[in-house]
Amino acid sequence: MSCWIRLGIEPTQDLDTIRLAYRGRLPSHHPETDPEGFQALRAAYEEALRLARDQAPREAEPAAGEDAPHPALKQFHTLLEEPSLRFDPQAWQRFIAELDELPLDELDDLGWQLLHTLRDCGPLSHHCANLLARRLGWAEQLLRLDDRHEVEAFLDRLEEPDPFDTACMRDWPASAQMESLWYFRSLEYCYQQRPLFEYEQFAGVHTCLGMPDDPALVQRLLVQFSQAGIPSRTFHDLLQTRQQQAPDDADLLYLLARQADALGAEQQALDCWLRLYREHHHPQAERWLIDLCARHQPQRLPLLIQAFDRLHTPAGWPAELDDPAQNWGSPGQSPQTLARWSEASRLELQGIATTFIDWRLDGDDELPLLAWLLQDQQDHDLHRLYWQAWALQRGEAGLLRQVLAQPLAEDALDALILEGFQRQASQQLHWLEQSPVVKALVDFCASDDPVAVLPEALTEDAIRPVCREWLRRMRVYPAHALHALNAQFDMRRLFTTPFALQLQDTLAETGVLLPAMPEGDALWNWHRQHLFMLALLEQPSRWLALIDPVLPGQLHYPVEHPFAAAHALLCQQLASPDGSIGLLGSLDSRDPVQAMISARLLTLQQALNSTRLPSAQQLLACLENDDGTLRSDYPLGYLLFCAVLYHDRSLDEQQRTRLRQRIEAAQLEDAWFDAWRQALLDGRPRRPPIGVLGALGIDSRAFTDVQDALRSLLDECTPPRTRLLRALQKVKDDPEQDPGLRCAIMAVLSWSERMLLDEIKEPPAPMWAFWKLKSRLNRTGLAAHVAVIALSANLMLHVPGVMVVICILAISGFLRRLRDLGHGVPTLMVVMLLSRVLPFSSLVLLGLPGDKLPNRYGPVPGKGPALEGGLQATLRRLNGQ
């Protein structure tokens, strides 16, 4: 194909036209996407330029008075068009030497023609062109040009080095020269100016081109390919040979590690990176090892991040306790480690890895981690490493010495983790044994002087972080030290908050102190025993939800241990069908530890989950322990709950006064609210507008049922009917219902249970006890009465007194049967009047089922123990739950 057809123009000698055609076609043949089309277009461009220059002297006669082109310019064209000369620095130097022979005024005019020709000649050697540019001094004469900015940019490009020695391709064809120069120049641009992944993509495109025999180029490609992670067997073998010759060269070891990783030789890469980390502390080694751990052992990733943390260990500290330099050497995390925690938190790791990272980022929420640490795990090596990682943050000197004494594992990654832990444990032991602040705290706690005072400097804000790090470590304190430390330091202001230090002070006030810490392997068990119970005492509801039910059985407490009784009760309760939800009603308040657990279990959620209905006093304690969520988020249910407790006479006047104040303090900006609230206080509850209940997501039917039940308890002094109680129980057991409404129902059921238990103190009357008119009679008993009456009918004609007995028996039987249905004498009168019209209508009572719960007339006749398991359990059985 003709070069003119390829360019899409007619044959011409106009160089500008040729350049415009080339540039117009160039976007259609990008070197990366269409290398063959680009090569053909470039060849056509070069051919068209050559033809235009050759034909111009032959086809155009010089005008009169015009000079022919300078011979040096023609020689320059030859230099540019001859492949053997175009990229040869020596040929350019010979041409420059010939220019030096020309007169200065002639050279001055010629120089600008050479510059114009050079700018339009396409790819060339920057080194060769720069020889000419410097000789003619174009950079110093830019002000003489109209397009000086474009020329300056061109000269700046010439200052950039060539990707290789262009003399190496002196004997190559022109197309091969252009292709290689363009490729390696583009490759160098990608490496210097673009991200490495773009360099990798460009280098990964398959191509066929000449490779200059330039050792500098080979070395540069070796480095670039290795750093970009591009695998090359040739470079890998070359690096192995060089590394064997210079085994201590860190640069060669790094490049070999990169190549081994790119080729998938993971073991060799691991060995290299471990050497780089241990011998040279290479920062890239840490990054690679972290990535390897994230890919293959993600559960160990947090441990490795912790192991890589490095802090400076000072040789000593100033003697003055208030000197800010006391902070040096105290445990902490470097900014790089904090960044790695944040990065790891976004990897969506599972299991203990996520739990540990959350703890390291938050610091205060330790319970999820302890729930895993305290339980025996199948992966013992992983379990031990996490224990050691925890000990670095929370362990005293005894645990840190055990970390130092731990032998290294055979697994390379585990050994690396333990090396880091032991380095950090050594630093922290140095701090615990030498820091003046720590010594002052230890001396204060060990003092037997009751009037000993903590040095004032330790309470200063600048020194507070050092004290906090010491207080966070698990240890045994004397009772006076616990009280003094909690008095001097506001633990809630310390972040992260020392775990259970305030709780230990509360225990000490009741005479409960932790036993002394043992030595050796028993020290780990000591920590398990006390961390478990302190976590239970700190947040019992949450802790019981976090742990596996088998965990308490894995712990063992001596009989004389202050936590032994509570632990035994917990093991027994968790093994029962009720599990932890029955714990609230099983605790012995005489035991100080159990009493503290009970006090902290009194939450509304725990009460709702309890298998037994709490008392009014317990419900009031739950309400007072609430953080205000119920009041702010569920105002109507909250007020109804307070009203039920307020009217419950089992509370004393002081408790009822606090409830009244709660009700009066509630405010809603609605016209109906004040009257509704006053009605609650007066014991005459009325229903709020239905639209209001619907807007708040409250079941209006259930809300009305609670108010009806409250009226029954107040006005009739009787428990609500069984149907209503069953409906209320269903609503209480529905977690989708308004929590305030569920709490109000719980208070109603608790009140009803107490009333029912008062009604059934005596056993049910036998069915033949017809004289007990205030007792209940079931359908079987009424049938027996009717049968006796029917059999005695013939005697009425002969024995007048039998008529009186039959009447008494009939009245007693039907009245007691109505008592079983929850009705009394008025209903009996209606039945008797109806019998005058329909003689056998009263026999309908034989088919009606009686009340399945005790009522004011006694327990259910003919049944076993009344309210077995409590009212709530009975209602759930009736509801089929």
Side-chain angles (χ1 to χ4, degrees), residues 827-844:
T827 308
L828 177 63
M829 301 300 294
V830 173
V831 171
M832 294 176 64
L833 291 175
L834 188 60
S835 299
R836 304 277 296 182
V837 181
L838 300 172
F840 299 102
S841 59
S842 58
L843 297 180
V844 174

Side-chain angles (χ1 to χ4, degrees), residues 407-629:
L408 296 179
E410 295 182 1
D411 182 81
L413 202 56
D414 284 0
L416 183 64
I417 291 170
L418 185 56
E419 286 176 8
F421 287 178
Q422 291 177 338
R423 182 186 68 253
Q424 295 168 22
S426 177
Q427 292 175 329
Q428 295 187 23
L429 271 175
H430 176 69
W431 174 72
L432 287 170
E433 294 169 354
Q434 302 297 329
S435 170
V437 171
V438 173
K439 288 182 178 180
L441 288 167
V442 172
D443 292 342
F444 171 75
C445 292
S447 174
D448 295 331
D449 187 357
V451 295
V453 179
L454 193 70
E456 185 177 352
L458 298 185
T459 61
E460 298 293 332
D461 290 341
I463 308 301
R464 193 186 304 271
V466 186
C467 299
R468 176 202 62 205
E469 289 303 321
W470 185 80
L471 292 169
R472 289 187 67 222
R473 301 186 175 265
M474 188 73 182
R475 61 174 65 86
V476 177
Y477 299 92
H480 72 276
L482 282 169
H483 179 72
L485 290 173
N486 279 282
Q488 292 290 336
F489 297 100
D490 185 355
M491 299 301 171
R492 293 171 297 180
R493 291 183 55 200
L494 298 181
F495 183 83
T496 54
T497 304
F499 177 71
L501 206 56
Q502 290 177 305
L503 179 62
Q504 291 184 58
D505 186 22
T506 305
L507 286 171
E509 292 176 356
T510 64
V512 177
L513 291 173
L514 302 185
M517 299 173 68
E519 296 182 357
D521 294 339
L523 186 58
W524 289 109
N525 289 327
W526 184 93
H527 280 83
R528 291 184 70 196
Q529 291 172 349
H530 298 96
L531 286 171
F532 176 85
M533 292 305 299
L534 290 175
L536 178 64
L537 289 165
E538 187 80 15
Q539 299 183 45
S541 298
R542 183 165 180 249
W543 181 243
L544 291 172
L546 285 172
I547 65 171
D548 192 303
V550 304
L551 173 56
Q554 297 175 355
L555 303 174
H556 303 284
Y557 295 80
V559 178
E560 66 277 6
H561 197 286
F563 294 155
H567 173 257
L569 175 65
L570 183 62
C571 291
Q572 178 183 2
Q573 188 61 45
L574 292 181
S576 68
D578 292 341
S580 62
I581 60 176
L583 183 62
L584 183 60
S586 304
L587 295 167
D588 185 358
S589 59
R590 295 170 296 179
D591 183 295
V593 176
Q594 296 184 47
M596 189 176 297
I597 297 174
S598 177
R600 293 173 183 258
L601 273 177
L602 290 175
T603 64
L604 292 175
Q605 188 59 49
Q606 186 73 21
L608 287 170
N609 293 338
S610 177
T611 56
R612 299 299 296 261
L613 291 167
S615 65
Q617 288 79 7
Q618 290 177 319
L619 289 175
L620 178 58
C622 293
L623 179 62
E624 292 178 340
N625 288 338
D626 186 59
D627 58 2
T629 302

Side-chain angles (χ1 to χ4, degrees), residues 739-765:
L741 180 63
R742 296 176 64 201
C743 290
I745 293 174
M746 181 166 53
V748 167
L749 294 177
S750 176
W751 190 350
S752 302
E753 183 180 56
R754 291 196 305 275
M755 296 185 72
L756 289 173
L757 291 175
D758 289 340
E759 298 289 349
I760 59 174
K761 291 181 179 179
E762 295 184 2

Side-chain angles (χ1 to χ4, degrees), residues 172-243:
W172 294 10
S175 58
Q177 291 175 334
M178 295 295 181
E179 185 70 19
S180 294
L181 183 61
W182 169 84
Y183 180 84
F184 287 109
R185 187 167 283 161
S186 300
L187 197 63
E188 187 68 21
Y189 171 81
C190 285
Y191 181 77
Q192 298 293 344
Q193 303 294 333
R194 306 302 300 168
L196 281 179
F197 75 87
E198 291 189 16
Y199 177 89
E200 181 182 4
Q201 291 174 355
F202 183 77
V205 176
H206 292 285
T207 184
C208 181
L209 49 82
M211 180 77 175
D213 186 14
D214 184 357
L217 173 63
V218 173
Q219 176 62 26
R220 191 165 62 254
L221 290 178
L222 182 148
V223 173
Q224 293 177 2
F225 273 43
S226 299
Q227 289 184 337
I230 302 174
S232 170
R233 289 286 181 188
T234 302
F235 288 156
H236 178 264
D237 296 341
L238 181 60
L239 285 169
Q240 273 191 318
T241 302
R242 293 182 181 179
Q243 203 272 331

Side-chain angles (χ1 to χ4, degrees), residues 778-827:
N778 58 18
R779 289 178 290 185
T780 303
L782 180 60
H785 279 62
V786 171
V788 171
I789 293 172
L791 292 175
S792 304
N794 293 330
L795 296 177
M796 289 189 302
L797 300 176
H798 303 90
V799 183
V802 175
M803 182 66 177
V804 177
V805 174
I806 291 177
C807 290
I808 294 174
L809 198 61
I811 293 173
S812 172
F814 285 105
L815 178 58
R816 292 173 66 197
R817 180 70 185 112
L818 287 171
R819 304 280 197 204
D820 188 42
L821 297 174
H823 301 287
V825 175
T827 308

